[in-house]
Amino acid sequence: MGTGRLYAAVAAGGFRRYATYRTATAAGVFTNTVFGLILAYTYLALWNERPHLGGYDQAQALTFVWVSQGLLMTVAVFGGGFEDELIERIRTGDIAIDLYRPADLQLWWLASDAGRALFHLLGRGVVPLVFGALVFPLALPARPLAWIAFVIAVALGVLVSFAIRFVVALCAFWLLDGAGAAQLAALVAVFCSGLLLPLNVFPGALGEVVRMLPWSALMQAPVDVLLGRARPLPTYAFQGAWAVVLLALGRLVQSAATRRVVVQGG
């Protein structure tokens, strides 16, 4: 099997793996929808008091709510993707087998995570957004090109999310338990991705800083592309730059971990 076909098969396996949990998917859709309702009515109250807060009108703010709910699991803001399994394999020592396989460790888990992300985009992302569009006046674009630009930004957001979680998971080589690092990374992602509030709402220097961090590539960047508040190409450049930096960092950490395994094995 060629290299490309191998990773395509891994991605397809990741998609099928999550597709088998139909009850969990239905429960997740319900949870996203309920949480979306809570946030939507909170945003309505907030934007009634502060119209055009963060540069959004009320319809754009509501759109931010429902699109971000659709992306919540796709970009794995809370974690819970491949990193849990990778941390466990490091803890048990099974990672040594993975490192000696003829497949690249980073690309293997990236392919698996891509399959997971695609399933969640279709299985848990569409229904909450459709529900929000039926119940609230959203500012969704009518042009197909805007949606294509949005999907590209989502794909780059998934790539950045993977790169962050891959580095965090590999920290388990030097920690007694990598779960703590994963939980800390999830908390940072919740605050810095725009899940609770658009990052444009954050005041002063804090807003400038969080918008420059890699977590803004997960939700804030794709939603702004969809709303027409950010030009696609500069947004892609921002997301792509963070992806390159973080993937390269993952390579360095992976190499250090591999040397550690070889030394211990020797």
Side-chain angles (χ1 to χ4, degrees):
M1 180 182 293
T3 302
R5 292 178 60 189
L6 170 63
Y7 296 123
V10 173
F15 185 97
R16 288 193 301 269
R17 177 181 179 182
Y18 284 88
T20 58
Y21 301 109
R22 298 175 184 175
T23 302
T25 299
V29 169
F30 177 78
T31 302
N32 286 141
T33 304
V34 170
F35 192 55
L37 283 169
I38 295 171
L39 279 179
Y41 284 110
T42 302
Y43 275 38
L44 281 173
L46 184 57
W47 260 260
N48 280 335
E49 292 294 323
R50 297 283 302 277
H52 300 287
L53 179 64
Y56 297 111
D57 61 30
Q58 192 175 83
Q60 290 175 325
L62 289 171
T63 303
F64 193 100
V65 169
W66 291 104
V67 175
S68 63
Q69 285 303 300
L71 295 180
L72 177 61
M73 293 300 295
T74 303
V75 297
V77 172
F78 293 127
F82 74 94
E83 64 272 21
D84 292 340
E85 183 178 352
L86 180 54
I87 289 172
E88 179 63 16
R89 293 187 69 81
I90 294 172
R91 189 188 67 81
T92 60
D94 291 340
I95 190 67
I97 300 173
D98 301 336
L99 291 172
Y100 285 111
R101 284 175 179 167
D104 182 81
L105 183 72
Q106 189 181 57
L107 290 178
W108 178 282
W109 290 108
L110 174 57
S112 177
D113 198 56
R116 176 208 59 80
L118 179 60
F119 171 76
H120 282 310
L121 181 64
L122 300 176
R124 288 186 60 168
V126 174
V127 174
L129 180 57
V130 171
F131 176 86
L134 292 174
V135 177
F136 298 93
L138 303 188
L140 296 173
R143 297 181 300 110
L145 286 178
W147 287 98
I148 294 173
F150 167 70
V151 170
I152 295 173
V154 170
L156 288 170
V158 170
L159 185 59
V160 174
S161 173
F162 165 81
I164 294 171
R165 290 176 290 128
F166 185 73
V167 173
V168 170
L170 291 185
C171 289
F173 276 104
W174 293 272
L175 302 175
L176 293 177
D177 186 358
Q183 291 170 0
L184 179 60
L187 288 175
V188 174
V190 168
F191 181 79
C192 296
S193 66
L195 173 62
L196 299 180
L197 275 175
L199 301 182
N200 296 340
V201 174
F202 289 23
L206 175 61
E208 294 294 331
V209 170
V210 293
R211 285 193 294 272
M212 293 302 297
L213 294 176
W215 292 276
S216 68
L218 275 59
M219 283 189 175
Q220 185 72 45
V223 177
D224 277 346
V225 167
L226 184 66
L227 292 174
R229 292 184 50 83
R231 291 182 297 166
L233 290 182
T235 302
Y236 300 159
F238 170 77
Q239 293 175 295
W242 270 119
V244 169
V245 169
L246 291 167
L247 288 171
L249 177 60
R251 286 283 177 187
L252 290 175
V253 177
Q254 178 181 325
S255 297
T258 301
R259 290 194 296 270
R260 181 183 178 89
V261 170
V262 170
V263 169
Q264 291 180 345

